[in-house]
PDB file of all heavy atoms in Angstrom:
ATOM      1  N   VAL A   1     -39.460 -21.652  -8.975  1.00 75.00           N
ATOM      2  CA  VAL A   1     -40.625 -21.003  -9.506  1.00 75.00           C
ATOM      3  C   VAL A   1     -41.809 -21.999  -9.519  1.00 75.00           C
ATOM      4  O   VAL A   1     -42.954 -21.603  -9.182  1.00 75.00           O
ATOM      5  CB  VAL A   1     -40.276 -20.478 -10.906  1.00 75.00           C
ATOM      6  CG1 VAL A   1     -41.635 -20.120 -11.685  1.00 75.00           C
ATOM      7  CG2 VAL A   1     -39.420 -19.278 -10.819  1.00 75.00           C
ATOM      8  N   PHE A   2     -41.540 -23.216  -9.787  1.00 72.00           N
ATOM      9  CA  PHE A   2     -42.647 -24.269  -9.825  1.00 72.00           C
ATOM     10  C   PHE A   2     -43.192 -24.398  -8.428  1.00 72.00           C
ATOM     11  O   PHE A   2     -44.433 -24.618  -8.274  1.00 72.00           O
ATOM     12  CB  PHE A   2     -42.134 -25.577 -10.338  1.00 72.00           C
ATOM     13  CG  PHE A   2     -41.662 -25.604 -11.816  1.00 72.00           C
ATOM     14  CD1 PHE A   2     -40.368 -25.439 -12.251  1.00 72.00           C
ATOM     15  CD2 PHE A   2     -42.725 -25.678 -12.785  1.00 72.00           C
ATOM     16  CE1 PHE A   2     -40.109 -25.412 -13.538  1.00 72.00           C
ATOM     17  CE2 PHE A   2     -42.380 -25.655 -14.090  1.00 72.00           C
ATOM     18  CZ  PHE A   2     -41.081 -25.554 -14.501  1.00 72.00           C
ATOM     19  N   VAL A   3     -42.377 -24.396  -7.443  1.00 69.00           N
ATOM     20  CA  VAL A   3     -42.850 -24.542  -6.034  1.00 69.00           C
ATOM     21  C   VAL A   3     -43.654 -23.252  -5.724  1.00 69.00           C
ATOM     22  O   VAL A   3     -44.729 -23.452  -5.061  1.00 69.00           O
ATOM     23  CB  VAL A   3     -41.667 -24.698  -5.089  1.00 69.00           C
ATOM     24  CG1 VAL A   3     -42.147 -24.776  -3.656  1.00 69.00           C
ATOM     25  CG2 VAL A   3     -40.832 -25.892  -5.436  1.00 69.00           C
ATOM     26  N   SER A   4     -43.199 -22.104  -6.097  1.00 69.00           N
ATOM     27  CA  SER A   4     -44.023 -20.923  -5.758  1.00 69.00           C
ATOM     28  C   SER A   4     -45.301 -20.842  -6.503  1.00 69.00           C
ATOM     29  O   SER A   4     -46.316 -20.319  -5.952  1.00 69.00           O
ATOM     30  CB  SER A   4     -43.186 -19.633  -6.166  1.00 69.00           C
ATOM     31  OG  SER A   4     -41.937 -19.695  -5.452  1.00 69.00           O
ATOM     32  N   ASP A   5     -45.405 -21.373  -7.698  1.00 69.00           N
ATOM     33  CA  ASP A   5     -46.588 -21.404  -8.437  1.00 69.00           C
ATOM     34  C   ASP A   5     -47.542 -22.517  -8.138  1.00 69.00           C
ATOM     35  O   ASP A   5     -48.722 -22.510  -8.581  1.00 69.00           O
ATOM     36  CB  ASP A   5     -46.300 -21.378  -9.977  1.00 69.00           C
ATOM     37  CG  ASP A   5     -45.615 -20.130 -10.447  1.00 69.00           C
ATOM     38  OD1 ASP A   5     -45.785 -19.061  -9.746  1.00 69.00           O
ATOM     39  OD2 ASP A   5     -45.036 -20.163 -11.461  1.00 69.00           O
ATOM     40  N   LEU A   6     -47.109 -23.488  -7.276  1.00 69.00           N
ATOM     41  CA  LEU A   6     -47.905 -24.650  -6.997  1.00 69.00           C
ATOM     42  C   LEU A   6     -49.296 -24.272  -6.367  1.00 69.00           C
ATOM     43  O   LEU A   6     -50.353 -24.759  -6.819  1.00 69.00           O
ATOM     44  CB  LEU A   6     -47.217 -25.572  -6.046  1.00 69.00           C
ATOM     45  CG  LEU A   6     -47.942 -26.821  -5.569  1.00 69.00           C
ATOM     46  CD1 LEU A   6     -48.310 -27.634  -6.799  1.00 69.00           C
ATOM     47  CD2 LEU A   6     -47.112 -27.614  -4.570  1.00 69.00           C
ATOM     48  N   PRO A   7     -49.340 -23.362  -5.363  1.00 69.00           N
ATOM     49  CA  PRO A   7     -50.636 -23.076  -4.771  1.00 69.00           C
ATOM     50  C   PRO A   7     -51.558 -22.464  -5.780  1.00 69.00           C
ATOM     51  O   PRO A   7     -52.818 -22.680  -5.754  1.00 69.00           O
ATOM     52  CB  PRO A   7     -50.282 -22.101  -3.655  1.00 69.00           C
ATOM     53  CG  PRO A   7     -48.910 -22.322  -3.292  1.00 69.00           C
ATOM     54  CD  PRO A   7     -48.204 -22.757  -4.636  1.00 69.00           C
ATOM     55  N   ILE A   8     -51.086 -21.573  -6.680  1.00 73.00           N
ATOM     56  CA  ILE A   8     -51.910 -20.932  -7.637  1.00 73.00           C
ATOM     57  C   ILE A   8     -52.541 -22.000  -8.581  1.00 73.00           C
ATOM     58  O   ILE A   8     -53.756 -22.019  -8.792  1.00 73.00           O
ATOM     59  CB  ILE A   8     -51.150 -19.924  -8.457  1.00 73.00           C
ATOM     60  CG1 ILE A   8     -50.533 -18.855  -7.541  1.00 73.00           C
ATOM     61  CG2 ILE A   8     -51.922 -19.300  -9.529  1.00 73.00           C
ATOM     62  CD1 ILE A   8     -49.603 -17.829  -8.228  1.00 73.00           C
ATOM     63  N   GLY A   9     -51.751 -22.884  -9.143  1.00 74.00           N
ATOM     64  CA  GLY A   9     -52.277 -23.857 -10.018  1.00 74.00           C
ATOM     65  C   GLY A   9     -53.104 -24.848  -9.305  1.00 74.00           C
ATOM     66  O   GLY A   9     -54.248 -25.251  -9.799  1.00 74.00           O
ATOM     67  N   LEU A  10     -52.698 -25.300  -8.091  1.00 73.00           N
ATOM     68  CA  LEU A  10     -53.473 -26.292  -7.320  1.00 73.00           C
ATOM     69  C   LEU A  10     -54.843 -25.799  -6.950  1.00 73.00           C
ATOM     70  O   LEU A  10     -55.838 -26.420  -7.113  1.00 73.00           O
ATOM     71  CB  LEU A  10     -52.653 -26.783  -6.098  1.00 73.00           C
ATOM     72  CG  LEU A  10     -53.201 -27.875  -5.270  1.00 73.00           C
ATOM     73  CD1 LEU A  10     -53.254 -29.156  -6.192  1.00 73.00           C
ATOM     74  CD2 LEU A  10     -52.319 -28.150  -4.077  1.00 73.00           C
ATOM     75  N   PHE A  11     -54.914 -24.608  -6.391  1.00 74.00           N
ATOM     76  CA  PHE A  11     -56.181 -24.013  -6.030  1.00 74.00           C
ATOM     77  C   PHE A  11     -56.976 -23.640  -7.157  1.00 74.00           C
ATOM     78  O   PHE A  11     -58.260 -23.594  -7.071  1.00 74.00           O
ATOM     79  CB  PHE A  11     -55.998 -22.903  -4.972  1.00 74.00           C
ATOM     80  CG  PHE A  11     -55.694 -23.390  -3.659  1.00 74.00           C
ATOM     81  CD1 PHE A  11     -54.413 -23.434  -3.170  1.00 74.00           C
ATOM     82  CD2 PHE A  11     -56.768 -23.801  -2.829  1.00 74.00           C
ATOM     83  CE1 PHE A  11     -54.151 -23.922  -1.856  1.00 74.00           C
ATOM     84  CE2 PHE A  11     -56.482 -24.240  -1.525  1.00 74.00           C
ATOM     85  CZ  PHE A  11     -55.197 -24.297  -1.011  1.00 74.00           C
ATOM     86  N   GLY A  12     -56.406 -23.267  -8.327  1.00 78.00           N
ATOM     87  CA  GLY A  12     -57.129 -22.999  -9.505  1.00 78.00           C
ATOM     88  C   GLY A  12     -57.945 -24.260  -9.925  1.00 78.00           C
ATOM     89  O   GLY A  12     -59.121 -24.186 -10.218  1.00 78.00           O
ATOM     90  N   LEU A  13     -57.206 -25.414  -9.882  1.00 77.00           N
ATOM     91  CA  LEU A  13     -57.871 -26.679 -10.187  1.00 77.00           C
ATOM     92  C   LEU A  13     -58.966 -27.053  -9.215  1.00 77.00           C
ATOM     93  O   LEU A  13     -60.044 -27.503  -9.493  1.00 77.00           O
ATOM     94  CB  LEU A  13     -56.848 -27.824 -10.241  1.00 77.00           C
ATOM     95  CG  LEU A  13     -55.923 -27.846 -11.499  1.00 77.00           C
ATOM     96  CD1 LEU A  13     -54.893 -28.869 -11.339  1.00 77.00           C
ATOM     97  CD2 LEU A  13     -56.736 -28.092 -12.778  1.00 77.00           C
ATOM     98  N   ALA A  14     -58.650 -26.746  -7.902  1.00 75.00           N
ATOM     99  CA  ALA A  14     -59.594 -27.098  -6.807  1.00 75.00           C
ATOM    100  C   ALA A  14     -60.877 -26.241  -6.978  1.00 75.00           C
ATOM    101  O   ALA A  14     -61.971 -26.794  -6.799  1.00 75.00           O
ATOM    102  CB  ALA A  14     -58.964 -26.885  -5.462  1.00 75.00           C
ATOM    103  N   TYR A  15     -60.714 -24.955  -7.272  1.00 78.00           N
ATOM    104  CA  TYR A  15     -61.920 -24.106  -7.434  1.00 78.00           C
ATOM    105  C   TYR A  15     -62.709 -24.610  -8.678  1.00 78.00           C
ATOM    106  O   TYR A  15     -63.932 -24.509  -8.702  1.00 78.00           O
ATOM    107  CB  TYR A  15     -61.463 -22.676  -7.603  1.00 78.00           C
ATOM    108  CG  TYR A  15     -61.129 -21.987  -6.243  1.00 78.00           C
ATOM    109  CD1 TYR A  15     -59.910 -21.403  -6.026  1.00 78.00           C
ATOM    110  CD2 TYR A  15     -62.087 -21.989  -5.232  1.00 78.00           C
ATOM    111  CE1 TYR A  15     -59.557 -20.761  -4.841  1.00 78.00           C
ATOM    112  CE2 TYR A  15     -61.779 -21.327  -3.993  1.00 78.00           C
ATOM    113  CZ  TYR A  15     -60.506 -20.797  -3.774  1.00 78.00           C
ATOM    114  OH  TYR A  15     -60.206 -20.203  -2.591  1.00 78.00           O
ATOM    115  N   ALA A  16     -62.007 -24.964  -9.732  1.00 81.00           N
ATOM    116  CA  ALA A  16     -62.672 -25.412 -10.899  1.00 81.00           C
ATOM    117  C   ALA A  16     -63.468 -26.619 -10.654  1.00 81.00           C
ATOM    118  O   ALA A  16     -64.617 -26.819 -11.026  1.00 81.00           O
ATOM    119  CB  ALA A  16     -61.642 -25.663 -12.047  1.00 81.00           C
ATOM    120  N   VAL A  17     -62.790 -27.654  -9.945  1.00 76.00           N
ATOM    121  CA  VAL A  17     -63.553 -28.907  -9.617  1.00 76.00           C
ATOM    122  C   VAL A  17     -64.729 -28.567  -8.676  1.00 76.00           C
ATOM    123  O   VAL A  17     -65.889 -29.069  -8.894  1.00 76.00           O
ATOM    124  CB  VAL A  17     -62.640 -29.835  -8.954  1.00 76.00           C
ATOM    125  CG1 VAL A  17     -63.411 -31.068  -8.353  1.00 76.00           C
ATOM    126  CG2 VAL A  17     -61.535 -30.354  -9.945  1.00 76.00           C
ATOM    127  N   ALA A  18     -64.559 -27.640  -7.674  1.00 76.00           N
ATOM    128  CA  ALA A  18     -65.587 -27.376  -6.719  1.00 76.00           C
ATOM    129  C   ALA A  18     -66.778 -26.661  -7.448  1.00 76.00           C
ATOM    130  O   ALA A  18     -67.901 -26.953  -7.209  1.00 76.00           O
ATOM    131  CB  ALA A  18     -65.043 -26.484  -5.614  1.00 76.00           C
ATOM    132  N   PHE A  19     -66.399 -25.762  -8.420  1.00 81.00           N
ATOM    133  CA  PHE A  19     -67.467 -25.053  -9.123  1.00 81.00           C
ATOM    134  C   PHE A  19     -68.242 -26.019 -10.028  1.00 81.00           C
ATOM    135  O   PHE A  19     -69.456 -25.920 -10.014  1.00 81.00           O
ATOM    136  CB  PHE A  19     -66.830 -23.944  -9.909  1.00 81.00           C
ATOM    137  CG  PHE A  19     -67.838 -23.087 -10.734  1.00 81.00           C
ATOM    138  CD1 PHE A  19     -68.590 -22.079 -10.137  1.00 81.00           C
ATOM    139  CD2 PHE A  19     -68.095 -23.402 -12.035  1.00 81.00           C
ATOM    140  CE1 PHE A  19     -69.442 -21.323 -10.830  1.00 81.00           C
ATOM    141  CE2 PHE A  19     -69.003 -22.665 -12.722  1.00 81.00           C
ATOM    142  CZ  PHE A  19     -69.684 -21.621 -12.143  1.00 81.00           C
ATOM    143  N   PHE A  20     -67.535 -26.827 -10.733  1.00 80.00           N
ATOM    144  CA  PHE A  20     -68.231 -27.822 -11.601  1.00 80.00           C
ATOM    145  C   PHE A  20     -69.127 -28.729 -10.826  1.00 80.00           C
ATOM    146  O   PHE A  20     -70.371 -28.972 -11.230  1.00 80.00           O
ATOM    147  CB  PHE A  20     -67.210 -28.667 -12.365  1.00 80.00           C
ATOM    148  CG  PHE A  20     -67.795 -29.745 -13.221  1.00 80.00           C
ATOM    149  CD1 PHE A  20     -68.351 -29.437 -14.413  1.00 80.00           C
ATOM    150  CD2 PHE A  20     -67.761 -31.033 -12.823  1.00 80.00           C
ATOM    151  CE1 PHE A  20     -68.999 -30.396 -15.214  1.00 80.00           C
ATOM    152  CE2 PHE A  20     -68.307 -32.080 -13.547  1.00 80.00           C
ATOM    153  CZ  PHE A  20     -68.961 -31.762 -14.786  1.00 80.00           C
ATOM    154  N   LEU A  21     -68.639 -29.320  -9.773  1.00 76.00           N
ATOM    155  CA  LEU A  21     -69.439 -30.262  -8.987  1.00 76.00           C
ATOM    156  C   LEU A  21     -70.583 -29.537  -8.241  1.00 76.00           C
ATOM    157  O   LEU A  21     -71.732 -30.058  -8.217  1.00 76.00           O
ATOM    158  CB  LEU A  21     -68.607 -30.986  -7.935  1.00 76.00           C
ATOM    159  CG  LEU A  21     -67.528 -31.907  -8.558  1.00 76.00           C
ATOM    160  CD1 LEU A  21     -66.657 -32.539  -7.409  1.00 76.00           C
ATOM    161  CD2 LEU A  21     -68.168 -33.033  -9.355  1.00 76.00           C
ATOM    162  N   SER A  22     -70.322 -28.359  -7.669  1.00 78.00           N
ATOM    163  CA  SER A  22     -71.334 -27.631  -7.031  1.00 78.00           C
ATOM    164  C   SER A  22     -72.465 -27.258  -7.992  1.00 78.00           C
ATOM    165  O   SER A  22     -73.645 -27.295  -7.599  1.00 78.00           O
ATOM    166  CB  SER A  22     -70.765 -26.322  -6.337  1.00 78.00           C
ATOM    167  OG  SER A  22     -69.801 -26.722  -5.372  1.00 78.00           O
ATOM    168  N   ASN A  23     -72.099 -26.767  -9.112  1.00 80.00           N
ATOM    169  CA  ASN A  23     -73.112 -26.406 -10.138  1.00 80.00           C
ATOM    170  C   ASN A  23     -74.016 -27.599 -10.504  1.00 80.00           C
ATOM    171  O   ASN A  23     -75.194 -27.510 -10.558  1.00 80.00           O
ATOM    172  CB  ASN A  23     -72.443 -25.869 -11.409  1.00 80.00           C
ATOM    173  CG  ASN A  23     -73.430 -25.422 -12.430  1.00 80.00           C
ATOM    174  OD1 ASN A  23     -74.259 -24.532 -12.174  1.00 80.00           O
ATOM    175  ND2 ASN A  23     -73.377 -26.053 -13.583  1.00 80.00           N
ATOM    176  N   THR A  24     -73.326 -28.723 -10.680  1.00 78.00           N
ATOM    177  CA  THR A  24     -74.065 -30.018 -11.061  1.00 78.00           C
ATOM    178  C   THR A  24     -75.034 -30.405  -9.927  1.00 78.00           C
ATOM    179  O   THR A  24     -76.174 -30.721 -10.164  1.00 78.00           O
ATOM    180  CB  THR A  24     -73.095 -31.143 -11.407  1.00 78.00           C
ATOM    181  OG1 THR A  24     -72.258 -30.663 -12.489  1.00 78.00           O
ATOM    182  CG2 THR A  24     -73.882 -32.361 -11.755  1.00 78.00           C
ATOM    183  N   PHE A  25     -74.465 -30.388  -8.693  1.00 75.00           N
ATOM    184  CA  PHE A  25     -75.292 -30.868  -7.535  1.00 75.00           C
ATOM    185  C   PHE A  25     -76.380 -29.881  -7.214  1.00 75.00           C
ATOM    186  O   PHE A  25     -77.530 -30.280  -6.855  1.00 75.00           O
ATOM    187  CB  PHE A  25     -74.344 -31.056  -6.297  1.00 75.00           C
ATOM    188  CG  PHE A  25     -73.355 -32.155  -6.498  1.00 75.00           C
ATOM    189  CD1 PHE A  25     -72.143 -32.137  -5.717  1.00 75.00           C
ATOM    190  CD2 PHE A  25     -73.495 -33.130  -7.419  1.00 75.00           C
ATOM    191  CE1 PHE A  25     -71.241 -33.117  -5.869  1.00 75.00           C
ATOM    192  CE2 PHE A  25     -72.562 -34.175  -7.588  1.00 75.00           C
ATOM    193  CZ  PHE A  25     -71.408 -34.121  -6.857  1.00 75.00           C
ATOM    194  N   PHE A  26     -76.156 -28.571  -7.380  1.00 77.00           N
ATOM    195  CA  PHE A  26     -77.165 -27.607  -7.115  1.00 77.00           C
ATOM    196  C   PHE A  26     -78.391 -27.708  -8.105  1.00 77.00           C
ATOM    197  O   PHE A  26     -79.490 -27.643  -7.763  1.00 77.00           O
ATOM    198  CB  PHE A  26     -76.561 -26.187  -7.193  1.00 77.00           C
ATOM    199  CG  PHE A  26     -77.584 -25.090  -6.878  1.00 77.00           C
ATOM    200  CD1 PHE A  26     -78.040 -24.901  -5.590  1.00 77.00           C
ATOM    201  CD2 PHE A  26     -78.045 -24.348  -7.957  1.00 77.00           C
ATOM    202  CE1 PHE A  26     -78.963 -23.890  -5.339  1.00 77.00           C
ATOM    203  CE2 PHE A  26     -79.020 -23.304  -7.643  1.00 77.00           C
ATOM    204  CZ  PHE A  26     -79.446 -23.146  -6.341  1.00 77.00           C
ATOM    205  N   ARG A  27     -77.996 -27.899  -9.386  1.00 80.00           N
ATOM    206  CA  ARG A  27     -79.089 -28.062 -10.389  1.00 80.00           C
ATOM    207  C   ARG A  27     -79.884 -29.310 -10.156  1.00 80.00           C
ATOM    208  O   ARG A  27     -81.101 -29.347 -10.442  1.00 80.00           O
ATOM    209  CB  ARG A  27     -78.473 -28.079 -11.814  1.00 80.00           C
ATOM    210  CG  ARG A  27     -77.856 -26.712 -12.254  1.00 80.00           C
ATOM    211  CD  ARG A  27     -77.301 -26.867 -13.617  1.00 80.00           C
ATOM    212  NE  ARG A  27     -76.815 -25.604 -14.109  1.00 80.00           N
ATOM    213  CZ  ARG A  27     -77.521 -24.659 -14.692  1.00 80.00           C
ATOM    214  NH1 ARG A  27     -78.815 -24.864 -14.937  1.00 80.00           N
ATOM    215  NH2 ARG A  27     -76.970 -23.529 -15.093  1.00 80.00           N
ATOM    216  N   ASP A  28     -79.170 -30.376  -9.649  1.00 78.00           N
ATOM    217  CA  ASP A  28     -79.978 -31.617  -9.386  1.00 78.00           C
ATOM    218  C   ASP A  28     -80.619 -31.535  -8.062  1.00 78.00           C
ATOM    219  O   ASP A  28     -81.303 -32.563  -7.711  1.00 78.00           O
ATOM    220  CB  ASP A  28     -78.953 -32.797  -9.487  1.00 78.00           C
ATOM    221  CG  ASP A  28     -78.439 -33.031 -10.846  1.00 78.00           C
ATOM    222  OD1 ASP A  28     -78.967 -32.474 -11.822  1.00 78.00           O
ATOM    223  OD2 ASP A  28     -77.330 -33.719 -10.981  1.00 78.00           O
ATOM    224  N   GLY A  29     -80.481 -30.471  -7.323  1.00 77.00           N
ATOM    225  CA  GLY A  29     -81.084 -30.351  -6.064  1.00 77.00           C
ATOM    226  C   GLY A  29     -80.416 -31.184  -4.898  1.00 77.00           C
ATOM    227  O   GLY A  29     -81.006 -31.384  -3.857  1.00 77.00           O
ATOM    228  N   GLN A  30     -79.227 -31.593  -5.220  1.00 76.00           N
ATOM    229  CA  GLN A  30     -78.456 -32.399  -4.181  1.00 76.00           C
ATOM    230  C   GLN A  30     -77.681 -31.561  -3.230  1.00 76.00           C
ATOM    231  O   GLN A  30     -77.166 -32.030  -2.244  1.00 76.00           O
ATOM    232  CB  GLN A  30     -77.499 -33.367  -4.874  1.00 76.00           C
ATOM    233  CG  GLN A  30     -78.162 -34.338  -5.845  1.00 76.00           C
ATOM    234  CD  GLN A  30     -77.240 -35.269  -6.504  1.00 76.00           C
ATOM    235  OE1 GLN A  30     -76.167 -35.579  -5.976  1.00 76.00           O
ATOM    236  NE2 GLN A  30     -77.546 -35.653  -7.686  1.00 76.00           N
ATOM    237  N   MET A  31     -77.630 -30.171  -3.488  1.00 74.00           N
ATOM    238  CA  MET A  31     -76.805 -29.333  -2.615  1.00 74.00           C
ATOM    239  C   MET A  31     -77.403 -27.973  -2.550  1.00 74.00           C
ATOM    240  O   MET A  31     -77.991 -27.445  -3.497  1.00 74.00           O
ATOM    241  CB  MET A  31     -75.337 -29.214  -3.179  1.00 74.00           C
ATOM    242  CG  MET A  31     -74.351 -28.494  -2.292  1.00 74.00           C
ATOM    243  SD  MET A  31     -72.634 -28.639  -3.002  1.00 74.00           S
ATOM    244  CE  MET A  31     -72.341 -30.419  -2.735  1.00 74.00           C
ATOM    245  N   THR A  32     -77.371 -27.347  -1.358  1.00 78.00           N
ATOM    246  CA  THR A  32     -77.932 -26.050  -1.097  1.00 78.00           C
ATOM    247  C   THR A  32     -76.905 -24.931  -1.309  1.00 78.00           C
ATOM    248  O   THR A  32     -75.677 -25.260  -1.408  1.00 78.00           O
ATOM    249  CB  THR A  32     -78.538 -25.936   0.241  1.00 78.00           C
ATOM    250  OG1 THR A  32     -77.471 -26.046   1.212  1.00 78.00           O
ATOM    251  CG2 THR A  32     -79.552 -27.041   0.517  1.00 78.00           C
ATOM    252  N   ILE A  33     -77.358 -23.689  -1.365  1.00 82.00           N
ATOM    253  CA  ILE A  33     -76.403 -22.527  -1.438  1.00 82.00           C
ATOM    254  C   ILE A  33     -75.473 -22.552  -0.205  1.00 82.00           C
ATOM    255  O   ILE A  33     -74.310 -22.277  -0.366  1.00 82.00           O
ATOM    256  CB  ILE A  33     -77.204 -21.280  -1.508  1.00 82.00           C
ATOM    257  CG1 ILE A  33     -77.932 -21.137  -2.860  1.00 82.00           C
ATOM    258  CG2 ILE A  33     -76.266 -20.038  -1.369  1.00 82.00           C
ATOM    259  CD1 ILE A  33     -77.007 -21.045  -4.067  1.00 82.00           C
ATOM    260  N   GLY A  34     -76.028 -22.791   0.958  1.00 81.00           N
ATOM    261  CA  GLY A  34     -75.119 -22.870   2.157  1.00 81.00           C
ATOM    262  C   GLY A  34     -74.075 -23.829   2.020  1.00 81.00           C
ATOM    263  O   GLY A  34     -72.911 -23.715   2.455  1.00 81.00           O
ATOM    264  N   GLU A  35     -74.395 -25.058   1.524  1.00 77.00           N
ATOM    265  CA  GLU A  35     -73.387 -26.111   1.378  1.00 77.00           C
ATOM    266  C   GLU A  35     -72.291 -25.745   0.305  1.00 77.00           C
ATOM    267  O   GLU A  35     -71.071 -25.998   0.528  1.00 77.00           O
ATOM    268  CB  GLU A  35     -74.026 -27.377   0.993  1.00 77.00           C
ATOM    269  CG  GLU A  35     -74.923 -28.045   2.114  1.00 77.00           C
ATOM    270  CD  GLU A  35     -75.687 -29.234   1.531  1.00 77.00           C
ATOM    271  OE1 GLU A  35     -76.047 -29.221   0.407  1.00 77.00           O
ATOM    272  OE2 GLU A  35     -75.929 -30.112   2.387  1.00 77.00           O
ATOM    273  N   ILE A  36     -72.749 -24.997  -0.735  1.00 79.00           N
ATOM    274  CA  ILE A  36     -71.745 -24.531  -1.765  1.00 79.00           C
ATOM    275  C   ILE A  36     -70.886 -23.498  -1.096  1.00 79.00           C
ATOM    276  O   ILE A  36     -69.638 -23.479  -1.328  1.00 79.00           O
ATOM    277  CB  ILE A  36     -72.521 -23.949  -2.944  1.00 79.00           C
ATOM    278  CG1 ILE A  36     -73.288 -25.028  -3.671  1.00 79.00           C
ATOM    279  CG2 ILE A  36     -71.584 -23.244  -3.870  1.00 79.00           C
ATOM    280  CD1 ILE A  36     -74.175 -24.586  -4.776  1.00 79.00           C
ATOM    281  N   TYR A  37     -71.422 -22.602  -0.315  1.00 81.00           N
ATOM    282  CA  TYR A  37     -70.559 -21.606   0.395  1.00 81.00           C
ATOM    283  C   TYR A  37     -69.571 -22.286   1.289  1.00 81.00           C
ATOM    284  O   TYR A  37     -68.429 -21.885   1.359  1.00 81.00           O
ATOM    285  CB  TYR A  37     -71.503 -20.640   1.130  1.00 81.00           C
ATOM    286  CG  TYR A  37     -70.658 -19.799   2.132  1.00 81.00           C
ATOM    287  CD1 TYR A  37     -69.973 -18.655   1.713  1.00 81.00           C
ATOM    288  CD2 TYR A  37     -70.570 -20.104   3.446  1.00 81.00           C
ATOM    289  CE1 TYR A  37     -69.204 -17.862   2.538  1.00 81.00           C
ATOM    290  CE2 TYR A  37     -69.864 -19.316   4.361  1.00 81.00           C
ATOM    291  CZ  TYR A  37     -69.132 -18.164   3.877  1.00 81.00           C
ATOM    292  OH  TYR A  37     -68.406 -17.468   4.761  1.00 81.00           O
TER     293      TYR A  37
END
């Protein structure tokens, strides 16, 4: 079960990290909408 749930947890963390960094960089003007996409 842990192996099967690994992608869900791993990508949940990856999306959370990507969202947090993208939001920070976009507000600071360091990243565009296209780069976030």
Side-chain angles (χ1 to χ4, degrees):
V1 167
F2 291 101
V3 179
S4 301
D5 291 342
L6 176 62
I8 299 174
L10 186 62
F11 279 98
L13 287 174
Y15 281 125
V17 171
F19 182 81
F20 174 78
L21 294 177
S22 298
N23 179 61
T24 302
F25 296 157
F26 179 75
R27 290 180 178 275
D28 294 342
Q30 301 179 30
M31 189 173 291
T32 65
I33 292 294
E35 290 172 329
I36 293 175
Y37 169 77

